[in-house]
Amino acid sequence: MVEQRDILQTPIEYLKGVGPKRAEVLQKEFDIRTFDDLLHYFPYRHIDKSHVYHVTDIVEDGSYIQLRGRISGAQVVGQQRAKRLTAQFTDETGSIDLVWFNGIKWVQELLQKKQEYIIFGKPTVFNGRWNMTHPEMIDPYAQNESPVPMRFMPLYNTSDIAKKKTLDSKAIAKLTANLLPVVKEVIQETLPDDMLNNLKLMPLKEALANIHYPENNQQLSRAALRLKFDELFFTQLKMLLMKQINMQQIPGHRFGKVGDYFNTFYKNHLPFELTNAQKRVIKEIRADLGSGHQMNRLLQGDVGSGKTIIALFIMLIAKDNGFQACLMAPTEILATQHYEKISKQVAPLGLRVEFLSGSTKAAKRRQIHEGLRNGDVDILIGTHALIEDEVQFQNLGLVVIDEQHRFGVEQRAKLWRKNTTPPHVLVMTATPIPRTLAMTLYGDLDVSVIDELPQGRKPIVTKHLYEKDRAALFGFMQKQIEQGRQVFMVYPLIKESEKTDLLDLMAGYESIERAFPPPKYGIGVVHGKMKPEDKDFEMQRFSKNQSQILLSTTVIEVGIDVPNATVMVIENAERFGLSQLHQLRGRVGRGGNQSYCILMSKYELSSEGRKRLDAMVSTNDGFEIANFDLQLRGPGDIQGTQQSGMLDFKIADIVKDEKLVAYTRNLAAQVLDNDPGLRRPEHRRLAENVAKLFKGEVNWSVIS
Ligand code: ADP
Ligand code: MG
């Protein structure tokens, strides 16, 4: 076995056809260092060379095809740089033009032969005729044209640099063709034979060979299925094992009771009745907190579903059990707002709540640090300043993270180390994550969902308007303001051009000022370049209804709570992503008044831009929006997923392979239910492969 592994781990340099120079390119461009890496460098597509088309069958769908026929004429046209060779290629059904821009001499010689050829390339329409540029010319009578019978030719992603160094797709194909016979026999099966048989999966060895060089389409899809299965199944197995490790190995503070803080607040100071969903979630969390194991829970709930109050309740439980708690938010504004709301809410309970962010002054900071160390501070609220090393607690029992997608997994882990026994962690997210994504990204967390909005909320009315409707928009805003309501107006921010964005905002400000002249109307402006205290000042003015219109860049995206605001106007709405639009919309509709979201856009929209705006108009449901988003953009672009590495699949696609995600999740759970430590002999392969995946991250074998 050692020897076998060694072959796969052989440096790529030593593969026939590689050598030190190409090895360097392979490593730099594609991160291919070993035989194994190349084996897992899958083609993105195959070309079917088993079929020869007729000219009359050609359709323009971007695919490469083969034709068989003869050259019936050729001309050199154009001058100097624009010089090209055009030839007519004819089969029994019709003819197309072949075009060469270079190598003209060589081609002319080739054409002299007047024989039959198989040509291969991508047909396009040019001047009303079928055209194929730089086709591959294959002499059907020549021997040994290609090194392997290429019925299905793999196409590999490559790069300009690699191409310059001769590593185009075809060259890479030659390398994989060289590689397969060398490694095929040492590829270790990762799944138990029983599983292979029951699920009718292709053995790994076959799958890895067929993904590069399939015999036919059917083999190719079976190979792809097997490899996707491996990626997804082992991801789920790993996630579930991590969860087990958390449960069994990581002891947690036992918050055995619910005491005076919780009860007093619940009975005397809660300003509304909790929704059933909120009650259920509190129960779920309480069960975790009392279990003696560390809690790692994800709380999902659409914008406005009332997650903050849950955070407060469980921080009170921490307090009831003699522990400190902290709440971390992704932006200064949001953290400030949490701080203000929560310190007000718990004032009657006599708890000390402090605020810490990057802009906290040194003296104040020292004071807070000391209060945290000696246990005087009960609840700490802030930005990621909280995770810095000098922030030390006397006895931290609970961490709540709001809007998780902005925090990396590593930052989460840093919080764990703030107490000898790690604190309980509750992650709250308002970005509804589609089920498959959640399973994959947060598979190691338990999940609670608030699936109900507080009573009396009226669904937000969303409208898509154009510039010509602006006068009507202003009239509408005026009416709302006359009724005592307030308006958000948001301008997009694009990092590359912050200056022009600010100009947009400022131009917007001027036109608003003309339409809503002060002092009759108060207008506020907030943007990212402002000092935190200035931002804060403007936000305060708006929350106290001293200003009626707040213009801002996306700094208000997350979490701001001004229940009296009923209109959200989003300028250049086509420039925002779907989830961002939904987040912004969630800033209104928080009080009892009918609220509106107005999407302003130009007339010409990209088809994707239009789909986004249509989706917003058609539904208020965050989960539906998230699914739309996932379909439009694919998982790689969903906020916060890029850095996680979790979605780094080579072949599986959690959107397209949604069913397989769910299937492998269940299967992994079943396997672990029956054999928690993967100790049974029939699971030996699973255990070995999981061990490889953990690569020393966690000692998973401790599970009993
Ligand atoms: P989010 O889940 O988006 O963080 P918040 O916690 O900010 O939502 O709550 C949104 C608004 O709803 C707040 O003004 C909050 O006080 C209010 N709220 C929360 N729970 C309830 C409830 N059960 N009934 C009425 N209003 C509630
Ligand atoms: Mg919130």
Side-chain angles (χ1 to χ4, degrees):
M1 199 179 110
V2 173
E3 192 195 329
Q4 291 170 343
R5 245 200 213 138
D6 280 348
I7 297 181
L8 283 169
Q9 293 316 316
T10 313
I12 195 67
E13 175 181 350
Y14 301 113
L15 180 67
K16 184 174 156 222
V18 181
K21 276 200 188 126
R22 278 184 151 188
E24 203 184 312
V25 180
L26 286 171
Q27 182 183 326
K28 277 210 183 111
E29 294 299 301
F30 316 118
D31 207 24
I32 296 174
R33 293 153 199 274
T34 62
F35 284 14
D36 199 42
D37 293 339
L38 181 62
L39 183 64
H40 286 89
Y41 194 73
F42 301 147
Y44 64 91
R45 213 153 68 90
H46 286 79
I47 292 167
D48 184 356
K49 282 204 166 184
S50 60
H51 185 72
V52 177
Y53 280 73
H54 285 135
V55 171
T56 44
D57 297 340
I58 300 177
V59 286
E60 192 169 26
D61 66 353
S63 47
Y64 287 76
I65 58 161
Q66 282 184 141
L67 298 168
R68 189 175 182 133
R70 289 173 199 279
I71 304 284
S72 54
Q75 313 82 36
V76 175
V77 289
Q79 297 284 321
Q80 287 166 3
R81 277 167 149 247
K83 199 154 121 178
R84 61 185 193 274
L85 178 72
T86 304
Q88 286 68 52
F89 184 84
T90 310
D91 69 5
E92 60 264 42
T93 68
S95 89
I96 74 168
D97 286 344
L98 308 183
V99 181
W100 288 268
F101 292 97
N102 44 44
I104 289 177
K105 256 217 170 117
W106 172 80
V107 180
Q108 274 169 327
E109 278 164 29
L110 198 70
L111 299 183
Q112 294 301 320
K113 295 187 194 161
K114 300 228 185 294
Q115 65 161 69
E116 199 182 36
Y117 285 103
I118 290 174
I119 62 163
F120 178 73
K122 187 166 76 175
T124 50
V125 178
F126 183 73
N127 278 348
R129 265 182 73 77
W130 285 114
N131 225 268
M132 199 183 266
T133 308
H134 286 201
E136 193 180 326
M137 309 284 293
I138 301 159
D139 178 351
Y141 307 107
Q143 302 293 311
N144 302 327
E145 253 289 311
S146 46
V148 280
M150 288 209 188
R151 291 153 67 74
F152 268 68
M153 200 177 88
L155 290 182
Y156 295 91
N157 276 315
T158 178
S159 68
D160 288 342
I161 295 179
K163 273 191 229 160
K164 256 185 216 140
K165 311 236 161 139
T166 71
L167 280 165
D168 58 6
S169 171
K170 208 167 158 190
I172 298 173
K174 281 205 177 120
L175 298 183
T176 52
N178 289 344
L179 175 74
L180 280 168
V182 181
V183 296
K184 190 170 172 202
E185 288 317 309
V186 305
I187 293 168
Q188 301 264 321
E189 183 50 58
T190 52
L191 297 177
D193 290 334
D194 265 5
M195 215 160 141
L196 284 180
N197 293 334
N198 293 340
L199 303 176
K200 303 201 169 44
L201 285 168
M202 189 184 252
L204 187 60
K205 191 191 287 187
E206 302 303 319
L208 283 167
N210 276 289
I211 199 70
H212 294 280
Y213 294 100
E215 292 276 316
N216 52 40
N217 260 323
Q218 197 202 354
Q219 294 288 72
L220 177 60
S221 36
R222 286 196 66 209
L225 175 67
R226 167 60 211 264
L227 295 170
K228 285 175 183 184
F229 182 94
D230 256 40
E231 280 188 328
L232 295 172
F233 177 69
F234 282 103
T235 302
Q236 298 301 345
L237 207 54
K238 181 177 162 177
M239 286 290 191
L240 290 172
L241 276 163
M242 297 215 332
K243 203 156 140 185
Q244 279 189 25
I245 293 167
N246 288 349
M247 294 281 289
Q248 300 191 8
Q249 293 303 307
I250 304 175
H253 305 289
R254 191 185 295 279
F255 293 180
K257 62 172 184 200
V258 167
D260 285 347
Y261 288 117
F262 184 101
N263 288 325
T264 310
F265 183 76
Y266 191 83
K267 285 193 198 112
N268 304 334
H269 306 291
L270 185 62
F272 39 69
E273 175 79 10
L274 291 178
T275 62
N276 287 330
Q278 285 171 320
K279 286 182 194 160
R280 187 192 70 236
V281 166
I282 291 177
K283 246 190 227 148
E284 285 167 1
I285 295 172
R286 268 178 56 187
D288 280 6
L289 297 176
S291 73
H293 299 300
Q294 189 213 18
M295 172 177 78
N296 276 288
R297 188 169 279 274
L298 176 73
L299 173 55
Q300 278 192 39
D302 208 346
V303 254
S305 60
K307 293 182 292 294
T308 321
I309 200 77
I310 307 249
L312 176 56
F313 269 119
I314 67 166
M315 290 198 287
L316 294 177
I317 297 178
K319 227 25 249 172
D320 277 334
N321 288 273
F323 288 91
Q324 293 165 296
C326 70
L327 169 61
M328 186 160 74
T331 65
E332 177 114 14
I333 291 190
L334 182 57
T336 309
Q337 195 174 41
H338 279 325
Y339 169 71
E340 271 156 13
K341 204 158 181 182
I342 288 174
S343 46
K344 221 182 281 160
Q345 281 170 319
V346 303
L349 304 177
L351 292 174
R352 179 170 166 200
V353 183
E354 290 287 359
F355 177 80
L356 189 69
S357 80
S359 57
T360 308
K361 300 259 154 50
K364 179 72 184 167
R365 182 180 292 264
R366 268 197 303 279
Q367 208 188 327
I368 293 173
H369 286 173
E370 200 189 312
L372 289 169
R373 271 195 304 271
N374 64 28
D376 283 351
V377 175
D378 302 302
I379 293 176
L380 180 65
I381 295 175
T383 59
H384 25 315
L386 299 196
I387 61 176
E388 277 157 26
D389 288 335
E390 71 265 21
V391 181
Q392 279 166 19
F393 295 79
Q394 187 192 55
N395 201 5
L396 180 64
L398 170 76
V399 177
V400 181
I401 303 175
D402 198 7
E403 312 294 348
Q404 146 78 9
H405 55 283
R406 308 248 168 139
F407 285 104
V409 176
E410 250 128 69
Q411 288 169 308
R412 236 201 287 161
K414 235 176 155 180
L415 283 160
W416 283 31
R417 297 193 281 272
K418 298 241 175 244
N419 202 343
T420 35
T421 298
H424 297 293
V425 178
L426 180 71
V427 168
M428 306 198 296
T429 173
T431 309
I433 303 161
R435 232 166 65 86
T436 44
L437 189 59
M439 274 176 194
T440 313
L441 263 184
Y442 302 116
D444 61 328
L445 303 182
D446 293 301
V447 179
S448 289
V449 180
I450 311 185
D451 49 7
E452 180 187 0
L453 292 179
Q455 281 213 330
R457 293 268 174 86
K458 299 189 177 76
I460 300 164
V461 174
T462 303
K463 286 243 147 66
H464 177 190
L465 301 183
Y466 301 94
E467 201 50 48
K468 69 168 168 51
D469 308 315
R470 190 164 291 275
L473 169 69
F474 282 0
F476 174 70
M477 285 166 58
Q478 197 178 353
K479 276 213 193 93
Q480 287 286 309
I481 294 171
E482 271 164 19
Q483 288 169 27
R485 306 284 91 80
Q486 291 165 277
V487 179
F488 286 109
M489 294 192 86
V490 180
Y491 293 78
L493 185 89
I494 296 178
K495 273 205 196 85
E496 293 84 359
S497 59
E498 260 177 76
K499 268 196 196 133
T500 43
D501 291 328
L502 274 186
L503 284 180
D504 279 357
L505 181 66
M506 287 312 160
Y509 179 75
E510 278 165 22
S511 84
I512 293 293
E513 214 178 19
R514 257 176 272 130
F516 300 88
K520 186 170 174 212
Y521 299 94
I523 306 168
V525 177
V526 196
H527 58 78
K529 291 265 150 170
M530 282 163 76
K531 287 203 194 108
E533 53 266 36
D534 295 341
K535 264 193 245 176
D536 195 40
F537 176 79
E538 285 295 348
M539 291 306 306
Q540 290 297 342
R541 244 164 49 93
F542 190 68
S543 20
K544 291 183 194 137
N545 199 1
Q546 288 162 357
S547 56
Q548 287 73 47
I549 304 176
L550 185 70
L551 276 74
S552 78
T553 50
T554 40
V555 286
I556 64 152
E557 181 190 339
V558 184
I560 296 302
D561 191 30
V562 182
N564 191 47
T566 52
V567 185
M568 165 63 64
V569 180
I570 305 174
E571 298 282 353
N572 296 109
E574 75 279 5
R575 281 163 62 178
F576 290 89
L578 247 186
S579 73
Q580 228 180 348
L581 290 171
H582 182 67
Q583 292 294 312
L584 286 169
R585 175 166 60 184
R587 299 308 110 214
V588 294
R590 307 192 139 220
N593 297 304
Q594 177 62 55
S595 292
Y596 306 86
C597 175
I598 314 292
L599 307 168
M600 297 297 288
S601 87
K602 53 181 186 187
Y603 290 99
E604 303 86 40
L605 293 172
S606 68
S607 81
E608 226 198 275
R610 187 167 296 281
K611 277 187 198 148
R612 284 200 297 269
L613 300 188
D614 288 350
M616 282 292 292
V617 173
S618 74
T619 181
N620 266 314
D621 181 326
F623 281 90
E624 260 180 59
I625 294 273
N627 271 321
F628 260 122
D629 203 23
L630 197 58
Q631 273 154 27
L632 281 177
R633 295 194 301 167
D637 285 329
I638 300 287
Q639 261 178 336
T641 57
Q642 293 96 331
Q643 78 278 34
S644 74
M646 277 302 178
L647 298 179
D648 240 356
F649 295 130
K650 289 202 160 69
I651 186 164
D653 175 326
I654 60 165
V655 181
K656 294 198 187 111
D657 303 319
E658 184 178 348
K659 288 210 179 100
L660 196 58
V661 175
Y663 183 80
T664 51
R665 170 75 171 189
N666 289 337
L667 191 68
Q670 256 176 41
V671 168
L672 288 176
D673 272 353
N674 292 330
D675 182 11
L678 296 179
R679 288 180 195 289
R680 297 215 193 126
E682 70 265 30
H683 290 152
R684 186 183 51 83
R685 286 176 187 163
L686 297 183
E688 278 174 12
N689 203 43
V690 164
K692 222 162 75 184
L693 289 175
F694 275 114
K695 277 197 212 99
E697 263 175 71
V698 186
N699 182 12
W700 70 277
S701 62
V702 291
I703 296 174
S704 58

